[in-house]
Amino acid sequence: MTATRIDGKAFAARLRERVGEHAASFEKATARKAGLAVVLVGEDAASQVYVGAKGKATLAANMASFEHRLPSDATSEALMTLVQQLNEDDSVDGILVQLPLPDHLDEQSIIAAISPDKDVDGFHVINAGRLSVGQAGFVPCTPLGCMMLLTDRLGDLSGLEAVVIGRSNIVGKPMAQLLLDANATVTIAHSRTKDLAAVVRRADIVVAAVGRPQMIGKDWLKDGATVIDVGINRLPPEPGKEKGKLVGDVAFDEASEVAAAITPVPGGVGPMTIAVLLRNTLVAAHRNAGLEAPADL
Ligand code: NAD
């Protein structure tokens, strides 16, 4: 079998286009743009790139982008004050504090200060709780993006065996919850799981969110499995090259011999994350305006 390549990049582009169209209708209906505020503390190079990309994508989707940059020695009070101002600002529908924060700032207490109704990253404990009891809230962007790719590919997931590898609060746990809500039979595997290969081999759906390059080979996969690779890992550079290649947690070429469908890295899950962030922001804007969010978001 040669697996179908799940084109997350194309799916994300279509989602961004729908968000852009609905955002234009939102502006017509409410006489204001939906708005996303992104807060960056410090000079972390990767974070600067992410924040820049989020700002550009927000503008391209007909929404307002508010960027706030604080110095790396910003105090917790200064950051809390800013978050409070954004909570109270009616032109801001979504607030995202770019992680990681400098060591002297406590991420959990900063996230807790964001209004849960503007927490478009879905990291607030209220939103984790809402997800766990099945109430409408905000779901973290990466797992929600994975779920969109899975349902687009497989339709009804009822009764399928799903194995999520990784149990982080931002990927593994919410991913497992979403699969459970879709009536899959879910196993969460992690660093202490015994005989991980045997566990993964049971799965109709494998979601890998570990951060170990090409850990999952073809021997770990059941024939016809659908594989979602969340991992983003950089291999050491080849001689003469400055940067190593980006790979996922799955050995893509060999896994493609066994799987029915698989996301590549790059071009799979990665592009979904920003697209879902825009989607969550527009959903927040509708809720904040007392409107029903469009069904195809
Ligand atoms: P994390 O480090 O918080 O969690 C990793 C998880 O993997 C842990 O729960 C741990 O138990 C598990 N693990 C570690 N070693 C293992 C092993 N040998 N066997 C089985 N399980 C093991 O990471 P995270 O934030 O959940 O991210 C996971 C990966 O996904 C990283 O590569 C990250 O870069 C990537 N990621 C990608 C996106 C995206 O937009 N595509 C978003 C978030 C994270």
Side-chain angles (χ1 to χ4, degrees), residues 142 166-168 170-171 190-191 196 209-212 230-232 269-270 273:
T142 301
R167 56 177 162 184
S168 71
I170 61 170
V171 189
H190 47 78
S191 51
L196 183 58
V210 181
R212 292 175 76 99
V230 184
I232 301 177
V269 174
T273 301

Side-chain angles (χ1 to χ4, degrees), residues 141-162:
C141 302
T142 301
L144 184 53
C146 294
M147 200 62 192
M148 289 177 180
L149 294 178
L150 277 171
T151 47
D152 180 61
R153 167 88 204 152
L154 296 171
D156 184 10
L157 308 187
S158 281
L160 295 180
E161 284 271 354

Side-chain angles (χ1 to χ4, degrees), residues 1-291:
M1 183 182 303
T2 304
T4 303
R5 183 190 164 96
I6 300 174
D7 191 345
K9 198 173 166 191
F11 190 102
R14 290 195 297 274
L15 176 57
R16 281 166 64 158
E17 208 175 298
R18 285 203 302 285
V19 171
E21 286 162 10
H22 287 305
S25 309
F26 177 87
E27 187 179 356
K28 265 195 201 131
T30 63
R32 73 168 183 91
K33 281 185 189 290
L36 173 65
V38 179
V39 179
L40 174 63
V41 185
E43 313 284 322
D44 181 76
S47 293
Q48 296 201 32
V49 172
Y50 295 146
V51 166
K54 286 168 186 171
K56 263 195 208 152
T58 306
L59 295 175
N62 299 320
M63 300 196 279
S65 165
F66 309 99
E67 229 173 84
H68 295 269
R69 289 173 186 253
L70 271 60
S72 53
D73 61 354
T75 61
S76 180
E77 291 70 34
L79 184 51
M80 289 288 197
T81 303
L82 173 59
V83 167
Q84 205 48 48
Q85 280 166 4
L86 297 173
N87 282 342
E88 287 162 15
D89 184 341
D90 289 339
S91 60
V92 172
D93 296 292
I95 302 170
L96 181 155
V97 176
Q98 184 66 45
L99 302 179
L101 289 171
D103 288 345
H104 68 283
L105 297 169
D106 175 42
E107 288 183 356
Q108 281 310 318
S109 55
I110 303 295
I111 290 168
I114 298 172
S115 161
D117 297 330
K118 295 190 177 188
D119 167 43
V120 285
D121 251 344
F123 293 168
H124 196 291
V125 286
I126 295 276
N127 282 316
R130 286 170 173 163
L131 175 62
S132 126
V133 297
Q135 289 177 6
F138 291 105
V139 177
C141 302
T142 301
L144 184 53
C146 294
M147 200 62 192
M148 289 177 180
L149 294 178
L150 277 171
T151 47
D152 180 61
R153 167 88 204 152
L154 296 171
D156 184 10
L157 308 187
S158 281
L160 295 180
E161 284 271 354
V163 173
V164 179
I165 319 171
R167 56 177 162 184
S168 71
N169 289 336
I170 61 170
V171 189
K173 281 187 211 159
M175 187 72 233
Q177 190 69 55
L178 288 168
L179 287 161
L180 185 60
D181 289 348
N183 300 314
T185 302
V186 185
T187 303
I188 306 179
H190 47 78
S191 51
R192 307 287 175 90
T193 298
K194 285 186 188 149
D195 201 354
L196 183 58
V199 172
V200 175
R201 224 176 279 124
R202 291 204 305 258
D204 303 303
I205 295 169
V206 178
V207 180
V210 181
R212 292 175 76 99
Q214 300 169 320
M215 173 175 102
I216 298 156
K218 68 175 176 185
D219 299 347
W220 288 34
L221 297 173
K222 174 169 155 178
D223 257 356
T226 300
V227 181
I228 304 289
D229 191 353
V230 184
I232 301 177
N233 311 289
R234 200 172 280 286
L235 293 178
E238 285 167 22
K241 295 251 168 83
E242 206 172 295
K243 270 188 175 177
K245 204 175 142 197
L246 273 190
V247 297
D249 292 344
V250 181
F252 182 84
D253 289 340
E254 59 169 84
S256 298
E257 294 171 22
V258 180
I262 181 168
T263 57
V265 176
V269 174
M272 291 299 293
T273 301
I274 286 189
V276 175
L277 173 68
L278 302 175
R279 179 257 175 215
N280 280 358
T281 303
L282 191 58
V283 169
H286 281 81
R287 289 181 188 158
N288 293 340
L291 299 171

